[in-house]
Amino acid sequence: MHINDLDTPAVLIDLDIMERNLRRWQAHCDALGLANRPHIKTHKIPELARLQVGLGAKGITCQKLGEAEVMADAGLDDILITFNLIGAAKLARAVALARRVRLSVVCDNDVVAEGLSAAFAAAGLRLDVLVEVDTGAGRNGVQTPAEAVALAERLSNRSGIRFAGFMTYPPKGDVERPRAFLAEALALCRAKGLEAAVVSSGGTPDLWQASREGGVTEHRAGTYIFNDRMQMQAGSASLDDCAMTVLATVVSRPTHDRAILDCGSKSLAADPLGPGLGHGHILTYPEAVILRLNEEHGTVDLSRCIGRPEIGERVRVVPNHACVVTNLHDRLWGVRGERVEAQWPVAARGLTG
Amino acid sequence: MHINDLDTPAVLIDLDIMERNLRRWQAHCDALGLANRPHIKTHKIPELARLQVGLGAKGITCQKLGEAEVMADAGLDDILITFNLIGAAKLARAVALARRVRLSVVCDNDVVAEGLSAAFAAAGLRLDVLVEVDTGAGRNGVQTPAEAVALAERLSNRSGIRFAGFMTYPPKGDVERPRAFLAEALALCRAKGLEAAVVSSGGTPDLWQASREGGVTEHRAGTYIFNDRMQMQAGSASLDDCAMTVLATVVSRPTHDRAILDCGSKSLAADPLGPGLGHGHILTYPEAVILRLNEEHGTVDLSRCIGRPEIGERVRVVPNHACVVTNLHDRLWGVRGERVEAQWPVAARGLTG
């Protein structure tokens, strides 16, 4: 099948670029001696997770139980969930999941620790728990190395769970602060006789600065499989590294300088890149700016373009943020050149918790 | 079932508020003698479309074929698709759809007109087509009344289609310009002996200024069924009119002034409301600001709050934009007070074209 046989909008993944992205990052991890634990939130597709593991990934990262359950169903057997699990329903699901895969989770407070401990002790299991630390991103996480190690100590005194190390989602553009935080936490652990077997860092923006400094043992990157304009902005990818494009049709040319695409915020997502940077990069009209998204309309400013598209013409748009695009669609299409080679249902989308 | 039996995140629809919203707008349309043709993009749920028609709506509006097909499957039989249809695949689907429902579509250029004409003439059908006009919104649409009527004339000379009137999505906050545009187009039609049976306007932001002035015969509103913070900002709804909330759990309290919710951009969508206004309104903590969304995290600034939520506490968040929230979820829950009364699959989400 040729890509022109697909109806629009459709999300295309260039397989050559994707495979190169996967291989390059795996080789980089191997050279550093870092475990690669890719985050599947970017693709939510079991086949692609299996490909990552086949190329050498140690296991996978999921952001919620629903994703992990779908991946376990597909045979992925080493899963880290990087989100605090709370409530009886989720704890029961986590116990069921831990009976069939090597599961580990994170925790940054005693409420979560208590829930995990009670559920896993009652099940006669022992769950590996990483203490999540806030190394500057300002999201979840214990605020200081001393508090992190105090929580680690409390975890290790509970039944049903085992302190397994630390996890952080580092701030973009700052590799020093996380390393200093982690190194200090590890030193405090050693002083107390606590073993932190895993020190997990993550993110794609600072991918190529990843190292084992600070005691890091593994890296969780998600977007590197597809890349997008945010990664280009962060300097971790070039346009040639962007495997995902949204195939769209020009449905209207109301004025000389305006084109309307049949992809809006329900296809491209509204995540902004910055003032004037628009909502995607059109490969064949690089000077065009996708000014505004309505739900099914993309309004394009052509005023800086030399050539201008005709009504009915198809274009390919590199999105701002690949992970949220995947989450809007029920399937992605794997293409090699202009030939369609694969169709993947986005099996882990739309799930609660 | 009680709402506390639902796992989070979950999208709740307050049935009392929704029903009041539907009744109030239908009564307003009836009093004005305006046909009510609600846009189903906001809910994408056949049961709710049937409820709208049951209360007096003349038919429904869909933004794409996939939505219309799902609605037709559920027995909705008068459907306007307000989007240019292009390409063989979509035209074949449109013909199949027109064989089973009263279908009408829009068109703002000759490429679309030619495609519709060829497909419907070959099928031995005649499709009602509204000329889409740009009355200031800067999206699709013919730019002047004279050009609109010229296109109407060309439509009426084609086989397979019938010029049926005009359609506009008016600019927010400007009711005068669309009325003047439409009145002029209608006068030109009369001069040329063209009949514009339908003049369709739309949008929720200026809902309560809707009227028959300018020759308008019907109004397409979508968001009014649920309402959201964008409608509050536009002045068309108050907080008490917002039927949709996202039920979320506080999963972390890393600092005194920070809470993390388990709803991020994959639950609330990233559509911005404006600087400092955040990504949602937390009912029980109205001074809280949802500062930032990651995919599964909502980072909340509590610094202006008197009370502060505890870890594990559940909150309800009024989203910025209801329509894109629906599109992210596989089901919505209908609740009356705290009792869950209905579960609706979002049947028309995730569809191509």
Side-chain angles (χ1 to χ4, degrees):
Chain A
M1 189 161 63
H2 189 274
I3 59 172
N4 286 342
D5 298 324
L6 297 174
D7 205 355
T8 62
V11 184
L12 311 184
I13 305 300
D14 186 299
L15 294 168
D16 291 329
I17 299 175
M18 178 188 82
E19 289 162 10
R20 190 179 68 213
N21 290 343
L22 292 176
R23 287 211 171 82
R24 184 165 48 192
W25 172 239
Q26 184 64 53
H28 192 79
C29 287
D30 290 346
L32 290 171
L34 264 184
N36 177 25
R37 185 181 285 281
H39 205 310
I40 61 78
K41 73 189 171 82
T42 305
H43 55 73
K44 295 181 179 252
I45 294 172
E47 289 89 332
L48 299 187
R50 281 202 298 257
L51 181 59
Q52 290 172 310
V53 170
L55 288 170
K58 176 187 167 56
I60 60 170
T61 307
C62 295
Q63 204 66 352
K64 47 189 183 182
L65 266 167
E67 290 174 349
E69 288 163 342
V70 168
M71 294 294 150
D73 290 346
L76 280 303
D77 61 3
D78 185 337
I79 301 176
L80 168 64
I81 300 178
T82 46
F83 202 88
N84 285 338
L85 298 179
I86 290 186
K90 287 197 177 72
L91 290 168
R93 289 163 65 193
V95 166
L97 190 60
R99 292 196 193 281
R100 57 193 186 118
V101 303
R102 189 187 173 288
L103 180 69
S104 48
V105 305
V106 303
C107 163
D108 73 353
N109 65 69
D110 290 291
V111 175
V112 171
E114 187 177 342
L116 292 169
S117 171
F120 279 80
L125 297 173
R126 205 166 182 93
L127 177 71
D128 279 352
V129 179
L130 305 179
V131 169
E132 180 166 0
V133 294
D134 179 0
T135 57
R139 201 167 72 178
N140 285 42
V142 178
Q143 296 294 300
T144 67
E147 288 168 40
V149 176
L151 177 57
E153 245 184 323
R154 296 197 298 279
L155 288 183
S156 57
N157 289 330
R158 287 185 182 274
S159 58
I161 55 179
R162 181 191 296 118
F163 167 66
F166 297 103
M167 185 285 272
T168 190
Y169 182 72
K172 283 174 203 170
D174 183 355
V175 294
E176 294 307 324
R177 185 168 160 188
R179 284 172 191 167
F181 189 118
L182 293 168
E184 188 178 340
L186 290 174
L188 290 169
C189 277
R190 278 189 298 272
K192 290 185 186 283
L194 287 167
E195 194 196 354
V198 175
V199 179
S200 181
S201 187
T204 298
D206 295 311
L207 190 73
W208 305 108
Q209 279 97 63
S211 86
R212 293 171 62 186
E213 282 189 48
V216 172
T217 65
E218 75 174 20
H219 192 92
R220 314 174 316 278
T223 317
Y224 81 102
I225 184 172
F226 297 152
N227 289 312
D228 54 26
R229 293 179 87 209
M230 284 186 178
Q231 301 313 323
M232 288 172 60
Q233 194 177 49
S236 67
S238 71
L239 185 59
D240 290 343
D241 301 322
C242 291
M244 175 187 277
T245 51
V246 176
L247 181 70
T249 300
V250 176
V251 296
S252 182
R253 283 291 315 283
T255 71
H256 183 63
D257 283 343
R258 192 196 309 161
I260 308 292
L261 303 179
D262 64 351
C263 61
S265 65
K266 286 178 175 174
S267 283
L268 284 174
D271 296 34
L273 202 66
L277 297 175
H279 292 281
H281 174 87
I282 304 177
L283 290 181
T284 40
Y285 298 94
E287 302 86 3
V289 179
I290 303 182
L291 274 183
R292 203 168 54 247
L293 299 179
N294 293 93
E295 288 157 57
E296 307 290 353
H297 299 76
T299 300
V300 186
D301 175 13
L302 303 172
S303 59
R304 284 188 259 163
C305 297
I306 300 161
R308 281 166 162 75
E310 308 210 330
I311 296 170
E313 189 172 327
R314 289 170 163 223
V315 296
R316 290 171 71 171
V317 182
V318 177
N320 285 0
H321 187 186
C323 313
V324 290
V325 170
T326 296
N327 190 54
L328 289 166
H329 293 266
D330 281 353
R331 69 181 61 76
L332 308 188
W333 302 90
V335 305
R336 206 166 307 266
E338 303 206 319
R339 195 158 47 88
V340 179
E341 282 199 3
Q343 177 186 169
W344 303 297
V346 183
R349 75 152 300 288
L351 303 162
T352 297
Chain B
M1 188 162 61
H2 189 274
I3 59 170
N4 286 342
D5 298 323
L6 297 173
D7 205 354
T8 62
V11 183
L12 312 184
I13 304 299
D14 186 299
L15 294 167
D16 290 330
I17 298 175
M18 178 188 81
E19 289 162 8
R20 191 178 68 214
N21 291 343
L22 292 177
R23 288 211 171 82
R24 184 164 47 191
W25 172 240
Q26 183 64 53
H28 193 78
C29 287
D30 291 346
L32 291 172
L34 263 184
N36 178 24
R37 185 182 286 280
H39 205 310
I40 62 78
K41 72 189 172 82
T42 305
H43 55 74
K44 295 181 179 253
I45 293 171
E47 291 88 332
L48 299 186
R50 281 202 298 257
L51 182 58
Q52 290 172 310
V53 170
L55 288 170
K58 174 186 169 55
I60 61 169
T61 308
C62 295
Q63 203 67 351
K64 47 189 183 181
L65 266 167
E67 291 174 351
E69 288 163 343
V70 168
M71 294 295 150
D73 290 346
L76 281 303
D77 60 3
D78 184 338
I79 302 176
L80 168 65
I81 300 178
T82 45
F83 202 88
N84 285 337
L85 299 179
I86 290 186
K90 288 198 177 71
L91 290 169
R93 289 163 65 193
V95 165
L97 190 60
R99 294 195 191 281
R100 57 193 185 119
V101 303
R102 189 187 172 289
L103 180 68
S104 49
V105 304
V106 302
C107 164
D108 73 352
N109 65 70
D110 290 290
V111 175
V112 171
E114 187 177 342
L116 292 169
S117 171
F120 280 79
L125 297 173
R126 206 167 180 92
L127 177 71
D128 279 352
V129 179
L130 305 179
V131 169
E132 180 165 0
V133 293
D134 179 359
T135 58
R139 201 166 72 176
N140 286 42
V142 178
Q143 297 294 300
T144 66
E147 289 168 40
V149 176
L151 178 58
E153 245 185 324
R154 295 196 298 278
L155 288 183
S156 57
N157 288 330
R158 287 186 182 273
S159 57
I161 55 178
R162 182 190 295 118
F163 168 65
F166 296 103
M167 185 285 271
T168 190
Y169 182 72
K172 284 175 202 170
D174 183 355
V175 294
E176 293 309 324
R177 185 168 161 189
R179 285 172 191 166
F181 190 117
L182 293 168
E184 188 179 340
L186 290 174
L188 290 170
C189 277
R190 276 189 298 273
K192 291 185 186 283
L194 287 167
E195 193 196 355
V198 176
V199 179
S200 181
S201 187
T204 298
D206 295 311
L207 192 73
W208 305 109
Q209 278 97 62
S211 87
R212 292 170 64 185
E213 283 189 48
V216 171
T217 65
E218 75 174 20
H219 193 92
R220 314 174 317 278
T223 316
Y224 82 101
I225 184 172
F226 297 152
N227 287 314
D228 54 26
R229 294 179 87 211
M230 283 186 179
Q231 301 312 324
M232 290 171 59
Q233 194 177 47
S236 68
S238 72
L239 186 59
D240 291 342
D241 301 322
C242 291
M244 175 187 277
T245 51
V246 175
L247 182 70
T249 300
V250 176
V251 295
S252 182
R253 284 289 316 282
T255 71
H256 183 63
D257 283 342
R258 191 195 311 161
I260 308 291
L261 303 179
D262 63 351
C263 60
S265 64
K266 286 178 175 173
S267 284
L268 284 174
D271 296 34
L273 202 65
L277 297 174
H279 293 282
H281 174 89
I282 304 177
L283 290 181
T284 40
Y285 299 93
E287 302 87 1
V289 179
I290 304 182
L291 275 183
R292 203 167 55 245
L293 299 179
N294 293 92
E295 287 158 56
E296 307 291 353
H297 299 77
T299 299
V300 186
D301 175 13
L302 303 171
S303 58
R304 285 186 257 162
C305 298
I306 298 159
R308 281 166 164 75
E310 309 210 330
I311 295 170
E313 188 172 326
R314 286 170 166 225
V315 296
R316 289 170 72 170
V317 182
V318 177
N320 286 0
H321 186 186
C323 313
V324 290
V325 171
T326 296
N327 189 54
L328 289 166
H329 294 266
D330 282 353
R331 69 182 61 75
L332 307 188
W333 301 91
V335 304
R336 206 165 308 267
E338 303 206 317
R339 196 157 46 87
V340 179
E341 282 200 2
Q343 176 187 170
W344 304 298
V346 184
R349 76 152 298 288
L351 303 163
T352 297

